[in-house]
Amino acid sequence: MATFKAIVIDKAESGQTVRLTDFDEKNLMDGDVTVAVEWSTVNYKDGLAVTGKAPVVRRFPMIAGVDFCGTVEESSHPAWTAGDKVILNGWGLGETHLGAYAEKARVKGDWLVRLPASLSARDAMAIGTAGYTAMLAVMALERAGITPSRGPLIVTGAAGGVGSVAVALLAKLGYAVTASTGRPEEAAYLTGLGASEVIERKELGGPPRPLAKERWAGGIDAVGSTTLANVLSMTRYGGTVAACGLAGGMDLPASVAPFILRGVSLVGIDSVMCPLPLRQEAWGRLEAGLDRGKIAAMTSEIGLADVIEAGRRIADGQVRGRIVVKIR
Ligand code: NDP
């Protein structure tokens, strides 16, 4: 019997169980590519999955983990051969398809993106789904015509994974970035990533007014709820906000005033089902547009045995930047 180490979530009468265990290779799901997983990461969604705080997992038993980087072991897919270095983000990994916190994964070749030549597998996972989502949001702002000359942008949940990469990417592209955080002690970290201003999360936490003083040309929001409603009310005429997260809640207590009186746009960002060409563009831009020193500054490393504890911390908003998981 061939087995490998994996973080497995299962259902019990008392609720959900999660443990590091041996998984039998014959129980891997169908797929045309088998990958030796080398690195994964801890994203907010992984935290929700391992704690059971939200119904992320929709098949049991489930190997947790929504993203990985590794080397193809076997492939019957025309695009991939043994030895190729590949990245997988989303597509239901860790939700409906056995996931990334395992030494081995069997997946669809159509889901994979080639690891950019100058990135190591660890670099790619330091960026991870959070960073790739931040890049999708940056690309959406660019498509909306938000250039640096339009004025400063706001990034919410800035000390988290999506936020940290968004701050670094936008600063490198020449935008003035206001970073909103609930952890003012992280101000030096955020200015180090390129933020020109750091504000306290509570400035965006009051009851949202339909329209407030115009402050930013747009932004990237990882928080949702009251925070996003306040950001919309403070967005300048013709601005655009990219919404990608719900760390503060899934609701949106906003009015239509910013849309109909200031021509503000709200664009949605989804990384899970995002079409392949956009993913490839995003990873290509991440290779070129992200300072490796800044990636290093925002990343900490753990092993497979530490994932469950790290999942608890990220679900509680306690993680700074990104966590990479060394799988083998
Ligand atoms: P992190 O936990 O690393 O970052 C979230 C940050 O949000 C925290 O660090 C904290 O930042 C802030 N935050 C946490 N709780 C609250 C709260 N109650 N109220 C206000 N702010 C809060 O998670 P990720 O960066 O991995 O993910 C961020 C969000 O983006 C998540 O909601 C995640 O589900 C979503 N996401 C969506 C994707 C998509 O495809 N649309 C893909 C990837 C992520 P600070 O301390 O600086 O205030």
Side-chain angles (χ1 to χ4, degrees), residues 8 21 26 37-38 46 101 108 119 140 192 197 204 242 252 315:
V8 177
T21 185
K26 76 174 176 359
V37 179
E38 286 148 15
D46 298 311
Y101 297 145
K108 288 192 183 171
L119 288 180
E197 183 190 22
L204 304 171
L252 181 55

Side-chain angles (χ1 to χ4, degrees), residues 44 133 157-162 181-183 201 222-223 244-247 269 271 314:
Y44 186 79
T133 302
V162 172
T181 183
R183 292 177 277 179
R201 178 198 286 179
V223 174
C244 63
L246 46 58
I269 305 300
S271 67
I314 201 166

Side-chain angles (χ1 to χ4, degrees), residues 42-45 48 129-130 132-133 136 156-164 180-183 186 190 201 221-223 227 243-249 269-272 313-322:
V42 182
N43 296 281
Y44 186 79
K45 191 186 265 180
L48 296 180
T129 293
Y132 142 69
T133 302
L136 291 177
T156 65
V162 172
S164 294
S180 162
T181 183
R183 292 177 277 179
E186 299 296 357
L190 291 165
R201 178 198 286 179
D221 175 61
V223 174
T227 301
C244 63
L246 46 58
I269 305 300
D270 168 59
S271 67
V272 176
R313 284 193 292 120
I314 201 166
D316 285 342
Q318 298 302 318
V319 168
R320 178 175 100 173
R322 300 278 304 133

Side-chain angles (χ1 to χ4, degrees), residues 65-157:
V66 303
D67 52 7
F68 68 64
C69 189
T71 304
V72 172
E73 274 188 356
E74 282 176 39
S75 169
S76 58
H77 187 284
W80 306 109
T81 53
D84 286 343
K85 294 276 187 191
V86 290
I87 299 171
L88 201 160
N89 302 102
W91 293 117
L93 201 71
E95 301 182 60
T96 53
H97 194 94
L98 292 174
Y101 297 145
E103 291 167 313
K104 205 168 270 219
R106 186 165 301 130
V107 297
K108 288 192 183 171
D110 289 349
W111 294 346
L112 298 168
V113 170
R114 196 171 298 279
L115 176 68
S118 75
L119 288 180
S120 70
R122 187 184 186 280
D123 289 341
M125 285 298 100
I127 296 166
T129 293
Y132 142 69
T133 302
M135 181 50 96
L136 291 177
V138 168
M139 286 157 49
L141 294 178
E142 289 174 343
R143 282 197 302 276
I146 305 298
T147 54
S149 64
R150 294 280 297 273
L153 300 184
I154 175 98
V155 173
T156 65

Side-chain angles (χ1 to χ4, degrees), residues 81-303:
T81 53
D84 286 343
K85 294 276 187 191
V86 290
I87 299 171
L88 201 160
N89 302 102
W91 293 117
L93 201 71
E95 301 182 60
T96 53
H97 194 94
L98 292 174
Y101 297 145
E103 291 167 313
K104 205 168 270 219
R106 186 165 301 130
V107 297
K108 288 192 183 171
D110 289 349
W111 294 346
L112 298 168
V113 170
R114 196 171 298 279
L115 176 68
S118 75
L119 288 180
S120 70
R122 187 184 186 280
D123 289 341
M125 285 298 100
I127 296 166
T129 293
Y132 142 69
T133 302
M135 181 50 96
L136 291 177
V138 168
M139 286 157 49
L141 294 178
E142 289 174 343
R143 282 197 302 276
I146 305 298
T147 54
S149 64
R150 294 280 297 273
L153 300 184
I154 175 98
V155 173
T156 65
V162 172
S164 294
V165 181
V167 169
L169 284 172
L170 290 170
K172 179 131 195 221
L173 287 166
Y175 293 89
V177 182
T178 301
S180 162
T181 183
R183 292 177 277 179
E185 66 276 16
E186 299 296 357
Y189 163 74
L190 291 165
T191 50
L193 293 181
S196 41
E197 183 190 22
V198 179
I199 64 166
E200 286 209 34
R201 178 198 286 179
K202 60 183 180 224
E203 280 194 45
L204 304 171
R209 307 215 308 265
L211 293 176
K213 184 169 179 287
E214 293 177 58
R215 294 179 69 176
W216 299 289
I220 296 178
D221 175 61
V223 174
S225 191
T226 305
T227 301
L228 176 55
N230 274 304
V231 166
L232 288 168
S233 76
M234 296 175 187
T235 300
R236 292 183 186 175
Y237 192 93
T240 298
V241 178
C244 63
L246 46 58
M250 211 180 200
D251 60 329
L252 181 55
S255 85
V256 296
F259 309 123
I260 64 173
L261 298 175
R262 287 187 183 156
V264 167
S265 298
L266 177 61
V267 295
I269 305 300
D270 168 59
S271 67
V272 176
M273 303 305 289
C274 175
L276 197 59
L278 263 184
R279 290 172 185 258
Q280 288 163 332
E281 183 184 344
W283 277 105
R285 293 217 25 208
L286 285 161
E287 179 187 23
L290 200 48
D291 199 315
R292 303 295 154 87
K294 286 184 181 169
I295 304 182
M298 68 175 80
T299 304
S300 53
E301 181 181 319
I302 62 172

